[in-house]
Amino acid sequence: MKAEAFTSCKATQAMIEKTSREGVTTVFHRVREKKTCPFGSGGTCCRLCYMGPCRVKDDGQDAGVCGATAETIAARNFCRMVAAGAAAHSDHAREVALVLLAAARGEAPGFEIKDEEKLWAVAQDLGIDPVGKSKNQLAEEVALKALTEFGQQEGELSFVRRAPQKRQEVWRRLGIIPRGIDREIVEMLHRTHMGVDQEYVHLMLHGMRTALADGWGGSMIATELQDILFGTPVPIRAKVNLGVLKPDHVNIIVHGHEPLLPELILLAVRDEELLAQARAVGAKGINVAGICCTANEILMRKGVPVAGSVLQQELAIATGAVEAMVVDVQCIMQGLGQVARCYHTELFTTSSRARLPGVTHLEFDHHRGLEVAKEIVRRAIARFPQRRKVEIPVEEMDLIAGFSHETIKYILGGRFRASYRPLNDNIINGRIRGVAAVVGCSNPRVRFGDLHTTLVRELIANDVLVLVTGCAAINCAKEGLLVPEAAEMAGSGLREVCEAVGMPPVLHCGSCVDNSRLLIAATEIVKEGGLGEDISEVPLCGCAPEWMSEKAIAIGQYFVASGVTVGFGVAFPTTGSAKLSEFVFGGMKDYVNAHWFYEPDPVAMARTIIAHIDAKRKALGIDV
Ligand code: NFS
Ligand code: SF4
């Protein structure tokens, strides 16, 4: 098997080859065996009832047994993806809110309120008066209010009021302001049940409302409450790629999405008694590294090294140097269990919501989280002497992360007059042509990581400031795009700005729930003035060239509904219906002033993004 065909990442290639040699099956081996189905891929396979399943041709004649047409089926499927993605982000947020509540009440040892400034700001945005309240009293009120946002039946989600006025009016006119997070998701599932909502535009409008309940609801709550608990990120240096695993240390990988248990594991590995135990088995120390968005969370706040992105999870174990891998929810491949059994790694599922067959389950309960963390570390140490077949790739790269929207304000505006003014001015004077968000997953059906880096190199060379999150951020980091020196690859205008403040041309803004930070950053740009009155007027574009998850669709949909045009690569789940595709790729503009586009080629995607940015500049009269 030719590992180079999958990616140019040398560490990944080496581990694909190692697993092939050792007869271990990974995502890269399985993807070759699985052909995609054109009906499923284009969105026109319906299995919502058992008069079917029905695979429907888009010829104006064909329909499912119930009479459902291609566009109805594709819209229902698309909207269900939005609902599932929104549910994932929001259920993560719910867990964080429950931990914040317990921490405020002193019932979650190891957790405390770290960022009081953020606590005050969030309290005010939730309509709570912080004055005269103790830290814990206020945190309790914030947690309780956040929890009501899930079950609320009427009215509007609180954070919607953070959006630019003009955008709120767009949503109100369309009747798509989310009432309650759970309500919109449940209604989306109801509407897409057999025989309910069968008008595709009507479905897609509720799809937008559900997505907004994620972006300005669930995801935003997750980000904000995590900042309160663990601190708002500031720029921090760290390392990335499989080379961060240490040959002479006990290696523990934290993988998944919730930073709750990982934060406690970071506490536990500083425990003197456990360190002594590690030394007693011949290790020099204990090394913690992350995968996926858990990695991004603890990287942003603690500078913990990142072992890799989603497609490297099995490969990390295949190094033979990982004593324990701890997973919680989302993007965890079932294949991990099989790979772990081929090495000495103990794999732990830790969320009450997720188990893998044949895998140790040690449940994270925030009332006794620190004990669970210590137990995991202890068991990892016990595995250290069982290592065999160790081969750690040498590749590792420096990066800077930690660009919360607050940080962007400071770094560009200066500590004494933190504001978005300098960023806006640099966009207006043309040094920065515009801003692109490059986010989302990796997908073994395309060259892993290469689409992200090809696209990003093209964008910065054309003076587009790039904001990255999720696995896209990890992949760009691995190629050295997240260090100040990368400014050398930027166009002269962007380079000048980056060099003046010492920042990279590609800013790591966090995990996938942290895409909510980008909504706030876009809003701050609008509020600063000079670049229009709505997010849709700013020279801004979003994309996920290697996407795969339903969460990515939810994110894309909330960006579009918020006025940001978004491009996806790989394949697009509406292409089986011409009508629905016309709507998402064009018609949506009439509703929200933004739309989706599909472009599998990264260079062509960069051109589309730049053209989009230029059109926005022209409309603002800042065409230079
Ligand atoms: Ni986002 Fe982050 Fe990665 Fe995709 Fe999965 S880890 S939540 S879904 S694969 S970017
Ligand atoms: Fe077929 Fe209609 Fe049932 Fe879908 S809902 S499976 S199109 S009969």
Side-chain angles (χ1 to χ4, degrees):
M1 163 152 157
K2 286 217 168 21
E4 303 85 34
F6 287 108
T7 178
S8 60
C9 169
K10 294 274 182 255
T12 301
Q13 288 175 5
M15 289 304 105
I16 292 176
E17 274 155 18
K18 182 174 192 271
T19 49
S20 298
R21 271 197 317 273
E22 292 169 350
V24 178
T25 306
T26 70
V27 63
F28 295 100
H29 301 85
R30 289 184 297 266
V31 72
R32 294 176 314 168
E33 309 299 326
K34 287 272 162 271
K35 294 265 170 297
T36 57
C37 163
F39 287 93
S41 181
T44 56
C45 168
C46 183
R47 35 171 298 281
L48 294 180
C49 90
Y50 264 63
M51 293 192 284
C54 304
R55 304 199 296 184
V56 174
K57 289 196 288 291
D58 190 28
D59 58 4
Q61 305 287 321
D62 199 16
V65 174
C66 67
T69 50
E71 63 277 11
T72 299
I73 293 171
R76 285 195 301 216
N77 287 334
F78 189 89
C79 287
R80 283 211 160 192
M81 293 178 88
V82 171
H89 291 137
S90 303
D91 207 39
H92 166 172
R94 187 191 326 269
E95 191 74 14
V96 179
L98 289 169
V99 170
L100 179 64
L101 183 62
R105 289 174 173 169
E107 295 165 359
F111 293 108
E112 56 181 343
I113 282 68
K114 290 258 171 63
D115 193 336
E116 267 191 85
E117 211 178 312
K118 190 80 174 220
L119 176 65
W120 268 63
V122 170
Q124 281 163 325
D125 285 350
L126 289 173
I128 300 165
D129 181 7
V131 179
K133 287 172 188 156
S134 76
K135 182 168 84 172
N136 285 338
Q137 197 183 352
L138 186 58
E140 183 176 5
E141 278 186 44
V142 164
L144 288 170
K145 178 70 178 96
L147 287 167
T148 64
E149 301 274 304
F150 292 90
Q152 187 172 287
Q153 302 301 322
E154 299 287 346
E156 301 178 350
L157 290 184
S158 302
F159 285 152
V160 162
R161 288 191 297 271
R162 286 176 159 186
Q165 208 51 48
K166 215 170 154 187
R167 184 52 34 180
Q168 293 182 40
E169 282 157 23
V170 169
W171 295 334
R172 260 181 218 114
R173 219 173 24 247
L174 293 171
I176 59 169
I177 295 206
R179 295 155 292 191
I181 299 165
D182 293 349
R183 172 160 192 188
E184 307 313 344
I185 295 168
V186 168
E187 184 170 321
M188 194 76 265
L189 292 177
H190 175 197
R191 286 207 207 186
T192 51
H193 181 277
M194 187 272 153
V196 188
D197 197 359
Q198 288 156 96
E199 203 283 306
Y200 71 100
V201 173
H202 194 243
L203 276 162
M204 293 299 285
L205 280 167
H206 190 70
M208 288 192 237
R209 192 182 211 174
T210 308
L212 291 172
D214 178 355
W216 299 86
S219 282
M220 200 171 278
I221 290 174
T223 295
E224 298 294 61
L225 301 195
Q226 282 170 182
D227 280 354
I228 291 171
L229 275 170
F230 307 124
T232 302
V234 294
I236 191 161
R237 244 180 206 282
K239 291 203 184 292
V240 62
N241 215 347
L242 291 170
V244 304
L245 296 172
K246 294 187 180 165
D248 49 7
H249 280 57
V250 171
N251 289 305
I252 299 175
I253 288 198
V254 287
H255 167 31
H257 285 77
E258 297 175 347
L260 305 167
L261 177 59
E263 287 275 349
L264 298 180
I265 290 177
L266 291 173
L267 276 183
V269 297
R270 288 205 298 268
D271 185 290
E272 275 311 322
E273 205 186 307
L274 289 170
L275 282 169
Q277 282 178 26
R279 282 190 292 268
V281 297
K284 287 216 176 105
I286 309 168
N287 182 37
V288 180
I291 294 230
C292 280
C293 281
T294 295
N296 285 322
E297 297 281 2
I298 53 179
L299 162 74
M300 289 283 282
R301 300 192 182 87
K302 301 265 156 61
V304 173
V306 178
S309 57
V310 62
L311 292 183
Q312 290 173 292
Q313 53 186 287
E314 293 161 318
L315 304 180
I317 294 178
T319 60
V322 175
E323 276 60 50
M325 182 182 273
V326 184
V327 303
D328 49 37
V329 288
Q330 303 165 23
C331 305
I332 293 144
M333 294 190 190
Q334 189 174 342
L336 278 181
Q338 191 57 38
V339 178
R341 280 189 284 281
C342 298
Y343 300 91
H344 74 303
T345 311
E346 182 157 29
L347 183 60
F348 296 91
T349 51
T350 57
S351 165
S352 62
R353 294 157 296 186
R355 295 198 189 194
L356 298 180
V359 167
T360 312
H361 185 74
L362 203 57
E363 201 153 304
F364 164 67
D365 162 4
H366 53 256
H367 297 107
R368 48 177 291 276
L370 204 48
E371 281 168 53
V372 174
K374 284 186 180 168
E375 171 71 9
I376 288 169
V377 176
R378 224 172 277 128
R379 286 168 71 156
I381 294 167
R383 290 277 168 136
F384 184 79
Q386 298 171 30
R387 279 190 188 182
R388 53 209 153 89
K389 298 191 282 194
V390 176
E391 182 188 322
I392 302 175
V394 292
E395 284 78 17
E396 58 169 5
M397 181 57 78
D398 288 312
L399 79 144
I400 296 187
F403 295 92
S404 53
H405 64 87
E406 291 90 340
T407 296
I408 298 175
K409 226 181 194 175
Y410 283 130
I411 195 156
L412 282 154
R415 196 149 282 275
F416 299 106
R417 49 170 209 103
S419 91
Y420 272 72
R421 193 70 251 156
L423 176 61
N424 283 28
D425 286 343
N426 279 315
I427 295 175
I428 292 165
N429 68 29
R431 274 193 201 97
I432 295 176
R433 191 172 196 153
V435 181
V438 180
V439 312
C441 327
S442 273
N443 188 320
R445 296 203 180 274
V446 296
R447 267 180 76 90
F448 162 43
D450 295 9
L451 273 58
H452 290 138
T453 53
T454 307
L455 168 76
V456 167
R457 283 199 181 95
E458 196 68 24
L459 290 172
I460 60 174
N462 285 283
D463 295 313
V464 175
L465 175 67
V466 176
L467 308 180
V468 287
T469 59
C471 289
I474 299 175
N475 294 335
C476 291
K478 288 195 298 179
E479 295 302 313
L481 290 163
L482 269 59
V483 287
E485 299 76 55
E488 285 166 23
M489 291 179 246
S492 58
L494 177 61
R495 180 175 177 168
E496 198 182 311
V497 176
C498 289
E499 285 175 352
V501 285
M503 72 175 192
V506 184
L507 305 181
H508 192 326
C509 302
S511 65
C512 289
V513 293
D514 291 342
N515 283 313
S516 62
R517 297 189 198 276
L518 305 185
L519 295 176
I520 301 294
T523 302
E524 296 263 1
I525 291 174
V526 171
K527 291 188 174 160
E528 191 56 51
L531 290 170
E533 287 167 29
D534 191 355
I535 294 173
S536 59
E537 294 175 55
V538 180
L540 185 68
C541 199
C543 66
E546 302 182 19
W547 79 283
M548 62 87 187
S549 78
E550 293 170 314
K551 289 178 289 172
I553 291 286
I555 293 165
Q557 184 80 345
Y558 75 61
F559 268 108
V560 174
S562 301
V564 183
T565 286
V566 170
F568 268 36
V570 189
F572 202 81
T574 65
T575 50
S577 158
K579 266 194 193 162
L580 183 62
S581 293
E582 272 162 35
F583 181 73
V584 294
F585 299 146
M588 267 177 94
K589 247 195 312 208
D590 301 335
Y591 293 81
V592 290
N593 268 318
H595 59 94
W596 290 85
F597 68 92
Y598 166 55
E599 178 50 72
D601 177 78
V603 176
M605 184 181 263
R607 286 205 198 103
T608 307
I609 291 171
I610 292 164
H612 178 77
I613 284 172
D614 285 352
K616 294 289 171 194
R617 297 187 63 91
K618 198 161 178 209
L620 286 166
I622 52 168
D623 199 12
V624 280

PDB file of all heavy atoms in Angstrom, residues 46-49 51-54 64-66 68 73 76 194, ligand 2:
ATOM      1  N   CYS A  46     -33.360   7.665   0.924  1.00  0.00           N
ATOM      2  CA  CYS A  46     -34.199   7.890   2.101  1.00  0.00           C
ATOM      3  C   CYS A  46     -34.454   6.582   2.821  1.00  0.00           C
ATOM      4  O   CYS A  46     -34.935   5.628   2.226  1.00  0.00           O
ATOM      5  CB  CYS A  46     -35.532   8.525   1.703  1.00  0.00           C
ATOM      6  SG  CYS A  46     -36.551   8.904   3.149  1.00  0.00           S
ATOM      7  N   ARG A  47     -34.145   6.570   4.106  1.00  0.00           N
ATOM      8  CA  ARG A  47     -34.503   5.385   4.887  1.00  0.00           C
ATOM      9  C   ARG A  47     -35.259   5.809   6.143  1.00  0.00           C
ATOM     10  O   ARG A  47     -35.092   5.271   7.220  1.00  0.00           O
ATOM     11  CB  ARG A  47     -33.285   4.506   5.183  1.00  0.00           C
ATOM     12  CG  ARG A  47     -31.963   5.244   5.428  1.00  0.00           C
ATOM     13  CD  ARG A  47     -30.910   4.309   5.908  1.00  0.00           C
ATOM     14  NE  ARG A  47     -31.298   3.725   7.189  1.00  0.00           N
ATOM     15  CZ  ARG A  47     -31.184   4.350   8.361  1.00  0.00           C
ATOM     16  NH1 ARG A  47     -30.676   5.557   8.436  1.00  0.00           N
ATOM     17  NH2 ARG A  47     -31.585   3.755   9.472  1.00  0.00           N
ATOM     18  N   LEU A  48     -36.133   6.787   5.939  1.00  0.00           N
ATOM     19  CA  LEU A  48     -36.870   7.314   7.074  1.00  0.00           C
ATOM     20  C   LEU A  48     -38.105   6.473   7.402  1.00  0.00           C
ATOM     21  O   LEU A  48     -38.728   6.673   8.429  1.00  0.00           O
ATOM     22  CB  LEU A  48     -37.269   8.767   6.822  1.00  0.00           C
ATOM     23  CG  LEU A  48     -36.088   9.751   6.742  1.00  0.00           C
ATOM     24  CD1 LEU A  48     -36.576  11.160   6.490  1.00  0.00           C
ATOM     25  CD2 LEU A  48     -35.255   9.704   8.013  1.00  0.00           C
ATOM     26  N   CYS A  49     -38.497   5.572   6.500  1.00  0.00           N
ATOM     27  CA  CYS A  49     -39.564   4.653   6.883  1.00  0.00           C
ATOM     28  C   CYS A  49     -39.364   3.342   6.151  1.00  0.00           C
ATOM     29  O   CYS A  49     -38.541   3.249   5.241  1.00  0.00           O
ATOM     30  CB  CYS A  49     -40.949   5.244   6.603  1.00  0.00           C
ATOM     31  SG  CYS A  49     -41.599   4.869   4.964  1.00  0.00           S
ATOM     32  N   MET A  51     -41.556   1.661   4.249  1.00  0.00           N
ATOM     33  CA  MET A  51     -42.134   1.424   2.928  1.00  0.00           C
ATOM     34  C   MET A  51     -40.950   1.414   1.966  1.00  0.00           C
ATOM     35  O   MET A  51     -41.028   0.887   0.877  1.00  0.00           O
ATOM     36  CB  MET A  51     -43.124   2.524   2.552  1.00  0.00           C
ATOM     37  CG  MET A  51     -44.363   2.532   3.424  1.00  0.00           C
ATOM     38  SD  MET A  51     -45.676   3.583   2.768  1.00  0.00           S
ATOM     39  CE  MET A  51     -45.090   5.231   3.163  1.00  0.00           C
ATOM     40  N   GLY A  52     -39.881   2.062   2.427  1.00  0.00           N
ATOM     41  CA  GLY A  52     -38.608   2.078   1.694  1.00  0.00           C
ATOM     42  C   GLY A  52     -37.676   1.096   2.333  1.00  0.00           C
ATOM     43  O   GLY A  52     -38.160   0.103   2.868  1.00  0.00           O
ATOM     44  N   PRO A  53     -36.381   1.294   2.342  1.00  0.00           N
ATOM     45  CA  PRO A  53     -35.671   2.500   1.875  1.00  0.00           C
ATOM     46  C   PRO A  53     -35.863   2.762   0.380  1.00  0.00           C
ATOM     47  O   PRO A  53     -36.033   1.821  -0.389  1.00  0.00           O
ATOM     48  CB  PRO A  53     -34.212   2.193   2.177  1.00  0.00           C
ATOM     49  CG  PRO A  53     -34.198   0.999   3.068  1.00  0.00           C
ATOM     50  CD  PRO A  53     -35.461   0.266   2.827  1.00  0.00           C
ATOM     51  N   CYS A  54     -35.796   4.065   0.024  1.00  0.00           N
ATOM     52  CA  CYS A  54     -35.986   4.464  -1.362  1.00  0.00           C
ATOM     53  C   CYS A  54     -34.775   5.248  -1.860  1.00  0.00           C
ATOM     54  O   CYS A  54     -34.367   6.219  -1.227  1.00  0.00           O
ATOM     55  CB  CYS A  54     -37.219   5.372  -1.477  1.00  0.00           C
ATOM     56  SG  CYS A  54     -38.727   4.649  -0.822  1.00  0.00           S
ATOM     57  N   GLY A  64     -40.110   8.565  -3.971  1.00  0.00           N
ATOM     58  CA  GLY A  64     -40.151   7.448  -3.038  1.00  0.00           C
ATOM     59  C   GLY A  64     -41.552   6.853  -3.006  1.00  0.00           C
ATOM     60  O   GLY A  64     -42.481   7.414  -3.595  1.00  0.00           O
ATOM     61  N   VAL A  65     -41.723   5.753  -2.304  1.00  0.00           N
ATOM     62  CA  VAL A  65     -43.033   5.096  -2.224  1.00  0.00           C
ATOM     63  C   VAL A  65     -44.097   6.072  -1.725  1.00  0.00           C
ATOM     64  O   VAL A  65     -45.236   6.092  -2.194  1.00  0.00           O
ATOM     65  CB  VAL A  65     -42.950   3.840  -1.308  1.00  0.00           C
ATOM     66  CG1 VAL A  65     -44.317   3.228  -1.089  1.00  0.00           C
ATOM     67  CG2 VAL A  65     -41.987   2.818  -1.906  1.00  0.00           C
ATOM     68  N   CYS A  66     -43.724   6.965  -0.795  1.00  0.00           N
ATOM     69  CA  CYS A  66     -44.680   7.935  -0.249  1.00  0.00           C
ATOM     70  C   CYS A  66     -44.886   9.130  -1.175  1.00  0.00           C
ATOM     71  O   CYS A  66     -45.706   9.992  -0.898  1.00  0.00           O
ATOM     72  CB  CYS A  66     -44.201   8.425   1.109  1.00  0.00           C
ATOM     73  SG  CYS A  66     -42.699   9.412   0.992  1.00  0.00           S
ATOM     74  N   ALA A  68     -42.305  11.182  -1.937  1.00  0.00           N
ATOM     75  CA  ALA A  68     -41.276  12.201  -1.640  1.00  0.00           C
ATOM     76  C   ALA A  68     -40.318  12.339  -2.816  1.00  0.00           C
ATOM     77  O   ALA A  68     -39.852  11.349  -3.373  1.00  0.00           O
ATOM     78  CB  ALA A  68     -40.507  11.819  -0.374  1.00  0.00           C
ATOM     79  N   ILE A  73     -36.204  14.638  -0.028  1.00  0.00           N
ATOM     80  CA  ILE A  73     -35.375  13.631   0.639  1.00  0.00           C
ATOM     81  C   ILE A  73     -34.012  14.208   0.995  1.00  0.00           C
ATOM     82  O   ILE A  73     -33.532  14.068   2.125  1.00  0.00           O
ATOM     83  CB  ILE A  73     -35.238  12.382  -0.262  1.00  0.00           C
ATOM     84  CG1 ILE A  73     -36.607  11.694  -0.390  1.00  0.00           C
ATOM     85  CG2 ILE A  73     -34.191  11.419   0.277  1.00  0.00           C
ATOM     86  CD1 ILE A  73     -36.661  10.583  -1.423  1.00  0.00           C
ATOM     87  N   ARG A  76     -34.339  16.694   3.837  1.00  0.00           N
ATOM     88  CA  ARG A  76     -34.540  16.037   5.139  1.00  0.00           C
ATOM     89  C   ARG A  76     -33.233  15.460   5.657  1.00  0.00           C
ATOM     90  O   ARG A  76     -32.901  15.595   6.833  1.00  0.00           O
ATOM     91  CB  ARG A  76     -35.583  14.913   4.997  1.00  0.00           C
ATOM     92  CG  ARG A  76     -37.003  15.421   4.881  1.00  0.00           C
ATOM     93  CD  ARG A  76     -38.027  14.323   5.107  1.00  0.00           C
ATOM     94  NE  ARG A  76     -37.917  13.200   4.193  1.00  0.00           N
ATOM     95  CZ  ARG A  76     -38.962  12.515   3.710  1.00  0.00           C
ATOM     96  NH1 ARG A  76     -40.195  12.864   4.060  1.00  0.00           N
ATOM     97  NH2 ARG A  76     -38.780  11.496   2.915  1.00  0.00           N
ATOM     98  N   MET A 194     -41.115  10.588   8.749  1.00  0.00           N
ATOM     99  CA  MET A 194     -41.949  10.278   7.579  1.00  0.00           C
ATOM    100  C   MET A 194     -43.271  11.073   7.633  1.00  0.00           C
ATOM    101  O   MET A 194     -43.952  11.090   8.660  1.00  0.00           O
ATOM    102  CB  MET A 194     -42.256   8.768   7.560  1.00  0.00           C
ATOM    103  CG  MET A 194     -42.962   8.274   6.318  1.00  0.00           C
ATOM    104  SD  MET A 194     -44.753   8.400   6.459  1.00  0.00           S
ATOM    105  CE  MET A 194     -45.219   8.553   4.744  1.00  0.00           C
TER     106      MET A 194
HETATM  107 FE1  SF4 B   2     -39.364   6.006   0.909  1.00  0.00          FE
HETATM  108 FE2  SF4 B   2     -40.978   8.040   1.659  1.00  0.00          FE
HETATM  109 FE3  SF4 B   2     -40.363   6.118   3.399  1.00  0.00          FE
HETATM  110 FE4  SF4 B   2     -38.488   7.847   2.599  1.00  0.00          FE
HETATM  111  S1  SF4 B   2     -40.313   8.324   3.784  1.00  0.00           S
HETATM  112  S2  SF4 B   2     -38.252   5.635   2.822  1.00  0.00           S
HETATM  113  S3  SF4 B   2     -39.084   8.215   0.469  1.00  0.00           S
HETATM  114  S4  SF4 B   2     -41.500   5.881   1.496  1.00  0.00           S
END
